């Protein structure tokens, strides 16, 4: 039985890394069932990024986007996990660049602990 993985990405302070992050996730040896982007508006004191970066990037057609115009902190990305379709949920910070066997290694580890 193949286990489905849902990936939740965050774009807060480093949306410029989204494109590379999505590419790396799509190139996993175990491809995710779904990818969801949670964009939590950074505080005004940090400045704003072009929203274009969050909406249009290579492979964005594979990403469901939730773009929030208010900073709700870190909690929403964890509460979203219960809404995902996957058997497992991987929540990645906006500076996490997974290697090509990231999901495969995670599944193997979980399986070894059963």
């Amino acid at each position: 039985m193949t286990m489905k993985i849902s990936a939740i990405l965050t774009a807060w302070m480093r949306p410029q890394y989204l494109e590379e992050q999505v590419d790396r996730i799509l190139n996993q040896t175990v491809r995710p069932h779904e990818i969801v982007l949670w964009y939590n508006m950074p505080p005004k004191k940090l400045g704003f990024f072009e929203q274009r970066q969050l909406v249009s990037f290579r492979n964005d057609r594979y990403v469901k986007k939730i773009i929030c115009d208010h900073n709700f902190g870190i909690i929403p990305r964890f509460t979203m996990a219960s809404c995902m379709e996957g058997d497992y949920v991987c929540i990645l910070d906006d500076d996490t660049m997974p290697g090509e066997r990231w999901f495969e290694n995670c599944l193997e580890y979980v399986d070894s602990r059963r």
Side-chain angles (χ1 to χ4, degrees), residues 51-62:
Q51 191 170 13
R52 212 172 345 105
Q53 287 177 288
L54 303 170
V55 179
S56 299
F57 52 88
R58 185 176 51 251
N59 289 322
D60 69 346
R61 67 188 175 279
Y62 299 107

Side-chain angles (χ1 to χ4, degrees), residues 92-106:
L92 300 160
D93 284 329
D94 58 4
D95 61 349
T96 303
M97 297 296 168
E100 71 179 34
R101 295 187 64 223
W102 181 284
F103 292 157
E104 180 182 343
N105 288 334
C106 290

Side-chain angles (χ1 to χ4, degrees), residues 2-14:
T2 304
M3 300 306 257
K4 296 188 295 189
I5 297 176
S6 295
I8 298 175
L9 309 180
T10 57
W12 187 64
M13 296 209 27
R14 294 172 281 266

